[in-house]
Amino acid sequence: MNGSNQFLSEDINKVTDSTKIQGVIFEIILRHIKDLIYVMKVEKRVFRYVFLNEMALTHAKITTEYIGKSLQELLPEKVARHLQIQYETVLKNNEPFSFQDTVVLADGRVVYGESILTPIFDHLGEIRYIVSVTRDVTESVLEKRKINETRQRYKSLVDHNMDVVFSLDTNGLLLQANPSTYNIIGFGEEELIGTSIFSLLDDEDASTFYKMFQETLKGLPQEYIGCSLINKKGKTMKVHIKSIPIMVDGNILGVYTIIKDITEKVSIEEMMKFMAYHDQLTGLPNRSSLKQELYAALEDGKEHHFQIAIMYIDLDRFKFLNDTMGHSVGDLLLKEVAERLMTIKCENYRIYRQGGDEFIVILKKANVKKASKYAEMILHSIQQVFSFKEHEFYISASIGISMFPDDGKDGDTLIKHADTALYLVKDTGKGHYRFYRSSMQQGTSQTLKLETGLRTAIERNELSLHYQPQVDLISGETKSFEVLLRWKHPNLGLISPCDFIPLAEETGLIIPIGEWVIKTVCSNLHKWKEQGYHEVSVGINLSPTQFQQPSLIQFINQTILENQINSNCLEFEITEGALKDVNEALLILSKLKEIGVKIAVDDFGTGFSSLSYLKCFPIDTLKIDQSFVKDIIHNEKDAAITTTIIHLAHSLGLTVIAEGVEHIEQVEFVREKKCHKAQGFYFSKPISENMMIQNYLSKRG
């Protein structure tokens, strides 16, 4: 080593002719430095070793004997060729040059070195020496590679993420976005970068996200599921947003925002929720929804001290229509009813399908008067004509109503009590509404009492007949009447037909009671004839049960013969429900006409209305149901229906009678439309036989 130092010192002195380098400084720099130092003498394009420090000698595994040797003489060909190129670069550029090498050591370790080649010029400006300082940069290289790998991993995570990834500054302005952003949101890079993220959200969600953003700037990651983000097409996307602070050296420089499009997921969840809480046929909220919302409504009512009406709605004669027309038509009817119920507008009105043909209404902030108003609106909406293909028909509804808090404090009790009121409506003629009363709880025992009494009513002479005049609107004469049944119970007093007629139908007692009515009417007609009164026509209602009795024709004929009356004085009124079996109905009606009695269709338009049966059945009279007559002055549809029925009757050569006439305006309307007859309270309520004789019957001259 001393020899090489002396050699280098002498050579340097020759080149620079300068002051000798102080020995102590030379020793410190060259002996104790950790880098590998090589000094190469330049002889044209040959480079010879003239100096190596201790670290270089150890690394190169050569001795001082090799001083003066060239690269090619000491090193493997491949290594020598590589170094030759690097040194020649210095000669070519006349300036320092650096490069890196990778060396695999004998033990398999990989070492990275960085070499700096510095030229030393003589006084003529020629490069005489090149000093190579090589430093082990393995640790630095590996650290850089690690950092680069981490950066590449992060970049891959962002660039290839299928969700939107933003980086935002502390003001919420977009700095960067991954490729998925532009595909999902639709904006281009020039449109998006520099934009405020809050401008992409609707007002409510922008406010919520702003609070999230501020929390994130405090170092607290946040997330928001179900946020509404607006894309370039103006469509709203439901998204899941996560915000993560960007921290560098403990300082928060911005926010990363990851946005996942969950529109489809939300739609599916909303659809599943809708299906769970809505009826699939009508789209109305179902019983599950009713249970939840009724509970919430009652809690609201308790807190704010307001009343709530619960309306239990049931369609009348729906089973008959469903069985007659088929389930497909029944389903269409239910959908139409639901649509009509939904057209009733009120802030606190909510309609549910309970099941089958039953619906329930919750009416918040409703007193009895308001509940009555809406019940009438519901009944009226359902009473309008239903049209399916070539068929037109009418149905009615029955409604039971309970009031919170008077009739119950919880949902189950209120629904039960509304159902109790509905049951009473069904038993008393249908087609109207009633409010629940506590006395209705005794309804079962009351029904048993009525049934027991009805079974002996004929024997005890408790039944009586009343007659309602049918006035000729042209002449003003009254030559026909409808007979109506009355029952006076010895203990309960006068019982409404709405209460006992349905019970008679249900128990089968309508058969003996109906026969009693026919016998009594025929007997009275015979008596009046014997007393010298002019003949009148009496209309007798036949229930569907009576109409289907095999012995009906024979019984009527025999009763007429026994009383020796003109069969043309009897007019049997049947409802459209009795005509559901066309072939059977045609057979029975034809046999009745053979006897000579007249046939009237009662409550025309409220059941299954098909023009075909008017053509093929031997009918004499159509009776317009009072539900149409009631509002003909104020309701254009009812007026149109009434007018149509009258014209239809004229066209078919039938007599037409308007029922339920109560006001002069109604009389004038049906008279103007050339309706033949009318009956109702305007002319007279149903009266006893004695009053009928006194006021309407006249003696033959």
Side-chain angles (χ1 to χ4, degrees):
M1 182 64 185
N2 290 336
S4 64
N5 289 346
Q6 182 180 359
F7 177 86
L8 178 59
S9 298
E10 292 175 353
D11 215 2
I12 288 176
N13 286 333
K14 292 178 182 178
V15 174
T16 62
D17 196 22
S18 63
T19 305
K20 293 183 179 179
I21 300 173
Q22 296 294 326
V24 64
I25 297 175
F26 190 83
E27 285 294 320
I28 291 173
I29 294 176
L30 299 181
R31 181 183 296 276
H32 301 291
I33 197 169
K34 297 296 184 183
D35 296 335
L36 283 62
I37 299 177
Y38 304 88
V39 180
M40 308 296 292
K41 185 175 182 180
V42 180
E43 296 177 349
K44 294 186 179 181
R45 293 179 63 244
V46 176
F47 306 96
R48 299 182 183 279
Y49 289 96
V50 294
F51 174 80
L52 292 83
N53 69 350
E54 291 291 344
M55 293 297 295
L57 287 169
T58 303
H59 180 270
K61 297 182 180 179
I62 60 178
T63 66
T64 55
E65 297 176 357
Y66 289 87
I67 296 300
K69 303 289 187 180
S70 67
L71 296 172
Q72 287 73 17
E73 292 173 332
L74 290 178
L75 302 176
E77 180 183 355
K78 183 176 180 181
V79 176
R81 185 167 58 251
H82 167 68
L83 291 177
Q84 181 73 23
I85 293 171
Q86 312 309 320
Y87 280 98
E88 286 183 359
T89 301
V90 177
L91 294 181
K92 178 180 179 181
N93 298 328
N94 283 327
E95 61 182 20
F97 175 72
S98 65
F99 65 93
Q100 288 188 349
D101 282 321
T102 303
V103 178
V104 180
L105 302 180
D107 58 6
R109 287 188 303 116
V110 177
V111 177
Y112 299 93
E114 182 179 53
S115 299
I116 299 176
L117 305 183
T118 304
I120 297 177
F121 300 89
D122 62 13
H123 65 286
L124 297 177
E126 298 290 334
I127 298 176
R128 293 291 304 277
Y129 296 93
I130 295 177
V131 179
S132 171
V133 179
T134 302
R135 176 170 294 173
D136 185 351
V137 292
T138 302
E139 185 175 343
S140 175
V141 169
L142 294 178
E143 182 65 25
K144 286 182 180 180
R145 286 194 175 184
K146 185 176 181 181
I147 292 173
N148 186 58
E149 182 179 347
T150 301
R151 186 183 66 81
Q152 293 288 345
R153 287 177 181 271
Y154 161 76
K155 191 173 186 302
S156 179
L157 176 65
V158 173
D159 289 352
H160 299 287
N161 199 315
M162 298 177 68
D163 297 327
V164 172
V165 182
F166 290 152
S167 63
L168 311 172
D169 67 11
T170 54
N171 294 316
L173 298 180
L174 276 69
L175 301 177
Q176 289 181 314
N178 68 338
S180 293
T181 297
Y182 308 112
N183 294 329
I184 294 174
I185 298 181
F187 291 104
E189 182 176 359
E190 66 284 352
E191 298 173 287
L192 207 55
I193 301 304
T195 301
S196 171
I197 189 172
F198 304 110
S199 67
L200 301 177
L201 309 174
D202 64 27
D203 293 342
E204 183 177 347
D205 286 328
S207 177
T208 302
F209 183 73
Y210 179 79
K211 296 176 183 177
M212 284 178 53
F213 188 76
Q214 295 304 315
E215 290 298 306
T216 307
L217 290 177
K218 296 176 184 178
L220 303 173
Q222 303 286 310
E223 67 177 330
Y224 180 15
I225 301 176
C227 176
S228 297
L229 185 143
I230 304 169
N231 64 17
K232 186 174 182 179
K233 295 181 179 179
K235 294 184 178 180
T236 300
M237 302 164 51
K238 288 295 182 181
V239 297
H240 178 185
I241 296 183
K242 292 183 179 180
S243 58
I244 305 161
I246 301 175
M247 301 188 71
V248 177
D249 297 330
N251 297 317
I252 297 176
L253 304 182
V255 171
Y256 284 124
T257 301
I258 302 174
I259 301 177
K260 185 177 186 64
D261 183 2
I262 58 171
T263 304
E264 184 175 353
K265 179 183 178 183
V266 170
S267 297
I268 293 173
E269 289 177 351
E270 288 178 350
M271 182 183 67
M272 295 294 289
K273 184 178 180 181
F274 183 88
M275 292 176 64
Y277 288 97
H278 287 77
D279 173 54
Q280 294 186 27
L281 176 64
T282 64
L284 290 176
N286 60 15
R287 279 183 293 183
S288 298
S289 184
L290 170 65
K291 183 177 180 181
Q292 286 190 359
E293 295 183 14
L294 179 54
Y295 175 81
L298 295 178
E299 290 298 307
D300 194 20
K302 291 173 186 176
E303 181 179 353
H304 296 97
H305 308 289
F306 58 72
Q307 291 179 287
I308 300 173
I310 308 299
M311 302 183 183
Y312 206 127
I313 306 168
D314 183 85
L315 302 182
D316 302 326
R317 300 188 299 276
F318 177 77
K319 184 178 185 303
F320 158 70
L321 183 141
N322 209 34
D323 293 343
T324 304
M325 301 294 292
H327 294 293
S328 59
V329 174
D331 287 347
L332 290 173
L333 174 65
L334 290 172
K335 291 170 69 175
E336 175 68 19
V337 168
E339 290 177 6
R340 292 186 184 185
L341 292 175
M342 286 189 288
T343 60
I344 298 175
K345 301 300 181 183
C346 175
E347 180 182 357
N348 296 306
Y349 170 94
R350 182 81 161 153
I351 180 75
Y352 306 82
R353 186 183 180 196
Q354 175 75 347
D357 61 334
E358 296 177 338
F359 302 84
I360 285 182
V361 165
I362 298 177
L363 191 61
K364 294 169 62 177
K365 300 181 181 180
N367 53 25
V368 171
K369 182 178 180 181
K370 184 174 181 180
S372 299
K373 172 187 173 182
Y374 276 90
E376 290 175 357
M377 291 171 64
I378 291 170
L379 293 176
H380 181 75
S381 69
I382 295 176
Q383 285 172 355
Q384 305 309 303
V385 63
F386 289 88
S387 301
F388 295 117
K389 297 183 179 179
E390 73 276 12
H391 300 295
E392 289 188 347
F393 54 88
Y394 296 85
I395 63 168
S396 59
S398 300
I399 305 176
I401 308 173
S402 63
M403 299 295 298
F404 167 85
D406 295 341
D407 300 329
K409 302 292 193 297
D410 62 89
D412 290 341
T413 301
L414 288 164
I415 291 175
K416 177 184 176 184
H417 287 169
D419 191 26
T420 300
L422 171 65
Y423 183 80
L424 188 59
V425 174
K426 286 289 192 181
D427 276 358
T428 54
K430 306 176 182 177
H432 60 286
Y433 67 89
R434 283 198 179 185
F435 286 87
Y436 170 80
R437 300 188 309 274
S438 58
S439 59
M440 291 178 180
Q441 295 291 6
Q442 287 78 45
T444 303
S445 60
Q446 180 81 345
T447 302
L448 290 175
K449 288 181 182 179
L450 289 178
E451 182 180 344
T452 302
L454 195 58
R455 291 185 181 277
T456 58
I458 297 175
E459 299 172 7
R460 295 180 179 182
N461 201 30
E462 295 170 3
L463 299 179
S464 63
L465 298 181
H466 279 56
Y467 300 83
Q468 187 167 37
Q470 296 173 337
V471 179
D472 189 305
L473 293 174
I474 304 299
S475 67
E477 296 179 337
T478 302
K479 295 183 179 180
S480 61
F481 303 82
E482 179 181 0
V483 66
L484 300 166
L485 185 62
R486 296 292 182 263
W487 176 27
K488 188 174 182 179
H489 191 280
N491 298 320
L492 301 175
L494 193 64
I495 308 298
S496 169
C498 294
D499 291 332
F500 72 82
I501 293 297
L503 181 61
E505 285 273 10
E506 185 179 344
T507 59
L509 291 172
I510 195 68
I511 302 302
I513 291 175
E515 291 179 350
W516 178 86
V517 172
I518 294 172
K519 280 183 178 181
T520 304
V521 169
C522 289
S523 176
N524 287 342
L525 285 170
H526 173 76
K527 179 177 64 176
W528 300 336
K529 179 181 177 183
E530 290 295 310
Q531 292 174 349
Y533 292 108
H534 284 288
E535 285 185 346
V536 292
S537 175
V538 179
I540 302 173
N541 287 285
L542 285 179
S543 74
T545 304
Q546 288 177 276
F547 187 72
Q548 295 168 4
Q549 288 300 304
S551 60
L552 175 67
I553 308 299
Q554 182 181 355
F555 174 79
I556 292 173
N557 189 42
Q558 183 178 343
T559 305
I560 291 172
L561 294 175
E562 287 177 354
N563 288 278
Q564 298 179 344
I565 60 173
N566 183 355
S567 58
N568 196 46
C569 292
L570 293 177
E571 184 170 61
F572 288 96
E573 299 181 7
I574 57 176
T575 61
E576 292 172 287
L579 305 176
K580 61 181 180 179
D581 188 327
V582 176
N583 293 328
E584 182 181 0
L586 180 59
L587 178 62
I588 296 172
L589 293 177
S590 298
K591 290 182 178 180
L592 282 173
K593 292 300 293 182
E594 289 175 5
I595 295 174
V597 300
K598 292 180 288 186
I599 306 296
V601 176
D602 195 16
D603 300 336
F604 182 75
T606 61
F608 163 55
S609 298
S610 174
L611 297 181
S612 61
Y613 79 70
L614 293 178
K615 180 180 69 174
C616 65
F617 290 162
I619 296 170
D620 300 285
T621 303
L622 293 182
K623 300 191 73 177
I624 305 172
D625 185 69
Q626 60 183 352
S627 64
F628 303 125
V629 176
K630 178 181 177 182
D631 293 323
I632 54 174
I633 304 303
H634 308 291
N635 188 297
E636 293 182 358
K637 291 185 177 180
D638 284 346
I641 292 170
T642 301
T643 301
T644 300
I645 294 174
I646 294 171
H647 289 170
L648 179 64
H650 279 288
S651 301
L652 296 174
L654 305 177
T655 300
V656 59
I657 301 175
E659 296 183 293
V661 176
E662 298 181 355
H663 306 288
I664 182 62
E665 293 85 0
Q666 296 169 334
V667 175
E668 292 173 348
F669 180 92
V670 295
R671 180 186 286 130
E672 180 187 348
K673 301 301 179 183
K674 294 184 171 46
C675 181
H676 297 113
K677 298 179 182 180
Q679 68 182 83
F681 282 9
Y682 176 78
F683 300 106
S684 173
K685 64 180 181 179
I687 55 178
S688 66
E689 178 188 352
N690 289 335
M691 291 185 66
M692 172 194 167
I693 293 173
Q694 292 175 16
N695 297 330
Y696 294 98
L697 295 190
S698 60
K699 293 280 188 175
R700 293 190 296 272

